[in-house]
Amino acid sequence: MKFIHITDTHLVAPGQKLYELDPLERLGQCIESINRFHSDAEFAIVTGDLAHAGNELAYRALRVAFGTLRLKTHFILGNHDSRQHFFAEFPESPRDAGGFVQYTLDTSIGRFICLDTNEPAVHWGVLCDSRLAWLSAELERGRDMPVYLFMHHPPFAVGLKRMDEISLQQPEKFAAIVSGHKNIRHLFFGHLHRPIGGSWHGIPFTTMRATSHQVALDFVMEGVVPGSHEPPAYAVVLADADLTVVHFHDFLDRTNTFIL
């Protein structure tokens, strides 16, 4: 199975720039690349911060942009998003009984569980008791199949001081639920705007650079987020019953290629 992971599009109103970049133009270039090289993928998942300030015009532009992608697209929310404005533009988007953007995709390789860590007016991530109860129930329903988790905020620190302050709060509650399920194959998330991989409680994880601006690799700076104009990326994921492979593609890289 092949699918695409995209994160942190940070759209603003069309025609506006963000940190000297046009995030809508960059998203268009990302979609053009996927259409050209990976239109055989089954779908794409976008792990939050769809809009930079929850702007209604940004979500309208998001719908138009992804309307050109030749794949079905699934969205989850990040800390920069507005749940109200997202649902106004995407009323068909699935939600759980509490109104959170949480849902399950049963695929040919297993269960994909998508979580909503958005908490209005703050930048850190939250999974309240209601959201955690939903996750626990979905994991129980999928106990006999491989499970892949998708969320915006990482549930652990990565060494980027300010980003670690605004990761998932009370991660021990999340850990207590997922650690009892040995069938979780991979955790995908966004938020960090950096290519990072590893394992947490035995669960492999990956995240990557945004389609918009990036966070610089700086383990010293405190209190602020160091920005960067490193190249944007998306991920191509190849997975089957025994293997998960994540390829990061810097879609604006124009480095010459040749036959070795």
Side-chain angles (χ1 to χ4, degrees), residues 104-226:
T104 296
L105 305 170
D106 285 332
T107 74
S108 59
I109 61 166
R111 170 160 292 182
F112 285 31
I113 298 178
C114 299
L115 296 169
D116 183 343
T117 59
N118 170 280
E119 188 73 7
V122 299
H123 282 298
W124 54 80
V126 172
L127 285 173
C128 60
D129 290 343
S130 170
R131 283 173 273 189
L132 288 172
W134 180 89
L135 169 62
S136 182
E138 290 303 302
L139 286 171
E140 284 300 320
R141 287 203 312 120
R143 185 171 285 278
D144 297 327
M145 64 180 73
V147 168
Y148 302 79
L149 298 177
F150 298 82
M151 58 200 298
H152 181 69
H153 294 85
F156 45 77
V158 299
L160 304 171
K161 294 184 183 300
R162 176 54 183 159
M163 298 305 291
D164 289 343
E165 292 175 352
I166 56 172
S167 61
L168 182 71
Q169 301 300 290
Q170 298 184 304
E172 66 279 358
K173 292 185 176 182
F174 178 72
I177 292 174
V178 301
S179 61
H181 295 268
K182 304 306 180 184
N183 58 329
I184 299 176
R185 297 292 180 84
H186 206 93
L187 168 62
F188 297 89
F189 57 89
H191 190 56
L192 298 179
H193 296 230
R194 291 222 53 82
I196 304 173
S199 65
W200 172 74
H201 289 281
I203 301 172
F205 67 81
T206 51
T207 186
M208 63 196 164
R209 290 193 295 269
T211 62
S212 58
H213 58 282
Q214 313 309 332
V215 172
L217 183 63
D218 187 313
F219 298 138
V220 177
M221 193 174 292
E222 299 184 60
V224 295
V225 179

Side-chain angles (χ1 to χ4, degrees), residues 49-62:
D49 280 358
L50 311 173
H52 184 68
N55 183 279
E56 295 169 273
L57 294 177
Y59 291 113
R60 196 165 305 156
L62 186 81

Side-chain angles (χ1 to χ4, degrees), residues 4 22 40 47 52 71 94 99 116 160 166 222 240:
I4 304 297
D22 185 337
D40 59 332
T47 51
H52 184 68
L71 310 176
D116 183 343
L160 304 171
I166 56 172
E222 299 184 60
D240 62 24

